[in-house]
Structure formats: structure tokens, C-alpha cells
Amino acid sequence: MASVDKSIHSAASGVAAETAAKHSKPASNGLVFYSGWFCPFVARVWIALEEKGIDYEYREINPYKKEAHFLAINPKGLVPAVEHDGAAMYESLVLLEYLEETFPSTAPLFPSKNTARAHVRMHIDQVVKKIMPSFYKTLQAQQEEEQKEARKTLTAAFKEYAEAFPNSSKPFHGGDKPDAVDVALAPWACRLFLLEEHRGGPFQAAEVGEAFIKWRKAIQDWPSVKAVLSTPEKYTEVYQRYLNDEAMSEAAKATRSGGVIP
Ligand SMILES: N[C@@H](CCC(=O)N[C@@H](CS)C(=O)NCC(=O)O)C(=O)O
């Protein structure tokens, strides 16, 4: 098994580098955002910060180094993490809710009605339990048959995800603009080109449904999603280790052993 190439994870590129540079100074609200430019879990939180227009200080971390100063923020050593109001917090989906509750006057990502909020959480649960495991399985599978099987499960989950949006005439779960359901999956939508290039070609409507095709285009074109994107070559570099099933991240190890993605 190849060892982790720590040099790959040095800094964001493209538009993401510009966005990070705009947030290189301490933020007016004291919020520190611990990021890894390549990480889709980070991107969820980064998109939310951008979408809501919340001030933040961007700090790039290489979570594979497990440095003591970062372990003091997140003992699991995973990005994303946030320090705010005298507390350290982590877990991307928890952070989405934290930002929503702490900055109530910013653009909402969760609906105000309790039942609608429960539906948003149920939908996100499907992203976590159905889409993410089959995404990584498709990425890491080495045998063609295994790749095809994983892709079939993934595309069925994509279809189900978009066809369950409350308003089928709108591109997003949130309607005309993304909400937390859209943000929870957006970073993986931006990495689908890797599967298309290496795991069976473009995703067609016959496979994923028209609603998913429409959603994918709309979410990739959304400004706060584009704002956190590095250049495709850099993702290809990072994900090559997943494609070779040599990645040593917690997510990759869990996928390999049939465990739960952390
Ligand atoms: N459940 C966590 C997952 C975070 C995660 O796995 N982050 C990866 C980068 S994409 C990481 O820090 N990996 C370091 C490692 O696996 O040691 C979340 O939603 O925030």
C-alpha cells in the first residue's frame, strides 16, 4: 500500500485560492475555519459560509499530518473544523447547523417550519447513508464488475435524491436556491467528473434521471459552489490514490474494509 503523499495537500488553486486569500486575515466575528482545499466535507461548510456571507478566517490544514495544534481543535484530526465563541467544533453537518443557528440573519439553509426541517434532515441522511458509501465504492473498486455494480447503486441513489425534491419544476431541493440538502451533496457533484473519466463515462438521464441532470448542472453553476472549487487537475492528483485504491484516509480505509465512512 502506498504511503500518503503529504506534499499534495499544500494549498487551494483556481477560484478557491482567490476565495481563501480574501479570508486570510482574522475575521470580525472571530470565526476560524480549518479547511483542507481538496476535502468535500470541508466544501459543505465553505459553501455555507460563502452562501451566507459570514466572515471567517481561512486556515489550510493537512489533516493527514495529525499535527498536535490541530488535534487540540479536533481530536479526530479531520477537517473541517471551526473555532468560534471560545469553542472548537467539527463534523460538516453539525457545522452547517451551527452556522444556521449562530447567524440567524444570514440566508437560511434550513426551512423554519419544524416538519420541513425534519424532512431536510431525512434527505441529508440519505446522502450520508446511500450516496456517499457508493460514491467511494465506485471510486475505489478495482475490478470492472465491482465498479459497474457500485455505479449502479450510486446512480439509483442519485435518481432517488433528485426525484424526491418537493417541487419538481425547480432545480434545487431548496427551490430556486440551494438549501442544506443541496449543499450536503454539492461537493460530490463537483467531483463526479472523476467517475465519468475513470468509471464508465458520462452520467446519462437514462441512468440518473432528468431531475438529477438538471440539479447537477444548476449546483455546479451556483456562485458559492464555484467559489470553493480548485482546478480539476488538482482534484485528479488527489483522487488518483482513491482510483488506485491506495488512499489512506479514514474514508478510504472504511470503504475498503466495508465499514462506515467517518
Ligand atoms: N464526518 C466528517 C468527515 C471529515 C473527513 O473525513 N475529512 C477528511 C478530509 S476529506 C480528513 O480530514 N481526513 C483525514 C484522515 O482521514 O486522516 C465530516 O463530515 O466533517
Side-chain angles (χ1 to χ4, degrees):
M1 199 72 61
S3 65
V4 174
D5 179 356
K6 292 174 175 154
S7 64
I8 266 177
H9 301 285
S10 53
S13 55
V15 184
E18 289 167 29
T19 306
K22 281 185 206 151
H23 292 275
S24 58
K25 303 258 156 55
S28 52
N29 56 23
L31 192 148
V32 182
F33 174 45
Y34 293 91
S35 172
W37 65 266
F38 57 90
C39 173
F41 301 94
V42 158
R44 283 175 171 163
V45 181
W46 203 0
I47 292 167
L49 288 164
E50 286 292 313
E51 186 66 24
K52 286 174 162 292
I54 298 168
D55 197 12
Y56 61 93
E57 178 185 344
Y58 182 97
R59 285 197 202 159
E60 185 72 37
I61 292 289
N62 180 340
Y64 301 105
K65 287 188 178 167
K66 307 289 177 211
E67 289 169 302
H69 75 93
F70 185 60
L71 290 175
I73 306 291
N74 180 355
K76 292 181 180 175
L78 305 176
V79 283
V82 158
E83 256 185 318
H84 185 235
D85 204 12
M89 294 155 273
Y90 46 88
E91 281 302 325
S92 57
L93 296 173
V94 173
L95 295 175
L96 288 191
E97 301 224 15
Y98 178 75
L99 296 177
E100 186 79 6
E101 289 161 1
T102 310
F103 300 95
S105 59
T106 60
L109 287 176
F110 290 83
S112 56
K113 204 172 168 212
N114 287 354
T115 49
R117 242 188 356 261
H119 283 139
V120 160
R121 292 183 179 126
M122 284 156 57
H123 215 122
I124 292 176
D125 195 53
Q126 294 304 297
V127 171
V128 172
K129 291 188 178 145
K130 283 194 174 171
I131 298 184
M132 285 170 38
S134 46
F135 176 90
Y136 288 99
K137 220 174 255 176
T138 311
L139 196 62
Q140 289 176 232
Q142 299 299 297
Q143 307 305 325
E144 205 180 326
E145 268 320 299
E146 207 191 339
Q147 291 171 0
K148 277 192 189 151
E149 204 48 46
R151 178 168 163 140
K152 219 164 112 189
T153 311
L154 177 64
T155 53
F158 281 155
K159 193 164 193 288
E160 193 183 352
Y161 167 86
E163 288 180 356
F165 288 178
N167 188 341
S168 61
S169 67
K170 308 281 188 189
F172 299 115
H173 180 274
D176 288 319
K177 60 196 278 303
D179 68 7
V181 171
D182 303 292
V183 172
L185 187 58
W188 284 270
C190 299
R191 288 155 179 74
L192 283 186
F193 75 94
L194 295 158
L195 297 184
E196 295 185 313
E197 285 173 11
H198 300 275
R199 296 288 185 266
F203 290 103
Q204 308 284 0
E207 217 183 353
V208 293
E210 290 293 353
F212 185 80
I213 299 275
K214 186 164 84 172
W215 175 81
R216 182 185 174 193
K217 171 150 186 23
I219 200 75
Q220 286 188 295
D221 285 347
W222 194 258
S224 60
V225 173
K226 282 163 72 172
V228 309
L229 271 187
S230 281
T231 54
E233 321 80 77
K234 294 290 176 191
Y235 292 113
T236 302
E237 245 176 68
V238 168
Y239 281 92
Q240 194 55 53
R241 286 170 295 156
Y242 284 83
L243 289 163
N244 298 344
D245 200 21
E246 289 173 348
M248 289 306 286
S249 69
E250 293 305 316
K253 286 190 278 187
T255 301
R256 202 170 293 130
S257 67
V260 176
I261 293 174

